[in-house]
Amino acid sequence: MGFKHLVIVRFKEDTVVEQIMKGLEKLVSEVDLVKTFAWGEDLESPEMLTQGFTHAISMTFDKKQDYTAFQTHPNHVEFSASFSAAIEKIVVLCFSSVQVKPAIA
Amino acid sequence: MGFKHLVIVRFKEDTVVEQIMKGLEKLVSEVDLVKTFAWGEDLESPEMLTQGFTHAISMTFDKKQDYTAFQTHPNHVEFSASFSAAIEKIVVLCFSSVQVKPAIA
């Protein structure tokens, strides 16, 4: 099912999130290594559940080596500088996704 | 793109995670409201990035009402009791996913 890269983030208060996401969308559209990319902003979960995190970002790669290559890709390195500066707090998880539903054909 | 339910969790030390996940797989296979379900265990990200979280669970519903109905579904209520007891810490986010790649046809 490929290699999943999941980011949960809370941005600093003065962050223009739209601008960050536009940059991220540009980045993944330029780099073929990224096979899927989606993001979203939490709608209305209670603070007790979100722990203050507001955004989720999800990417899929064919294999771990592609993820590693993406991390060191010049476009990613450039984007990371502005992204990192905007982060209030973050969780990053990487895993081989176990897709249960829909069942794998 | 549907309604996404994302859970990041760290289980208590004595938890048999396989058993929890089997229960979760059984639950989502029984409830048609759940359209996609995947989970994974973080492979090797540094503690600085994972913040101690170890597992990610992702579900998709057609619409928010289906998610709400799932929350109160008897099977979910029953599962939640054992799941909640095993949690060390958790983040839950719900959002309408913005799917950027692959492009929406």
Side-chain angles (χ1 to χ4, degrees):
Chain A
M1 291 306 305
F3 188 84
K4 201 106 178 170
H5 173 53
L6 182 66
V7 177
I8 308 289
V9 68
R10 179 190 183 87
F11 293 108
K12 290 176 184 165
E13 268 193 28
D14 59 349
T15 303
V16 185
V17 177
E18 272 184 30
Q19 194 175 317
I20 297 272
M21 289 306 175
K22 285 288 173 206
L24 192 50
E25 290 178 11
K26 182 169 176 290
L27 170 64
V28 301
S29 68
E30 288 166 353
V31 182
D32 286 340
L33 296 164
V34 184
K35 294 309 175 193
T36 77
F37 167 64
W39 69 273
E41 179 174 7
D42 181 70
L43 294 173
E44 51 178 303
S45 302
E47 169 85 15
M48 189 189 75
L49 290 178
T50 67
Q51 306 286 335
F53 289 96
T54 55
H55 291 77
I57 298 162
S58 165
M59 290 182 198
T60 314
F61 301 82
D62 281 341
K63 54 187 187 293
K64 195 194 161 190
Q65 290 89 326
D66 288 356
Y67 170 68
T68 308
F70 175 65
Q71 292 297 108
T72 54
H73 191 288
N75 295 26
H76 182 266
V77 171
E78 188 188 342
F79 172 78
S80 290
S82 57
F83 185 77
S84 300
I87 293 171
E88 174 83 30
K89 62 178 190 169
I90 191 167
V91 172
V92 179
L93 296 179
C94 294
F95 51 91
S96 293
S97 181
V98 181
Q99 189 87 30
V100 179
K101 197 176 187 178
I104 301 159
Chain B
M1 291 310 303
F3 187 84
K4 200 106 178 171
H5 173 52
L6 183 65
V7 177
I8 306 289
V9 68
R10 179 191 183 87
F11 293 108
K12 290 176 183 164
E13 268 193 27
D14 58 350
T15 303
V16 184
V17 177
E18 270 184 33
Q19 194 175 318
I20 297 274
M21 291 306 175
K22 286 287 174 205
L24 193 50
E25 290 178 11
K26 181 169 176 290
L27 169 65
V28 302
S29 68
E30 287 165 352
V31 182
D32 285 342
L33 296 164
V34 184
K35 293 311 174 192
T36 76
F37 166 64
W39 69 273
E41 179 173 5
D42 182 71
L43 293 173
E44 52 179 305
S45 303
E47 169 84 17
M48 190 190 74
L49 290 178
T50 66
Q51 306 286 333
F53 290 97
T54 54
H55 291 77
I57 297 163
S58 166
M59 291 181 198
T60 315
F61 301 83
D62 280 342
K63 54 186 187 293
K64 195 194 161 191
Q65 289 90 326
D66 289 355
Y67 169 68
T68 308
F70 175 65
Q71 291 299 107
T72 54
H73 191 288
N75 296 26
H76 182 265
V77 171
E78 188 188 342
F79 172 78
S80 289
S82 56
F83 186 77
S84 300
I87 292 170
E88 173 83 30
K89 61 179 191 170
I90 191 166
V91 172
V92 179
L93 296 179
C94 294
F95 52 89
S96 293
S97 180
V98 180
Q99 187 87 32
V100 179
K101 195 177 188 178
I104 301 159

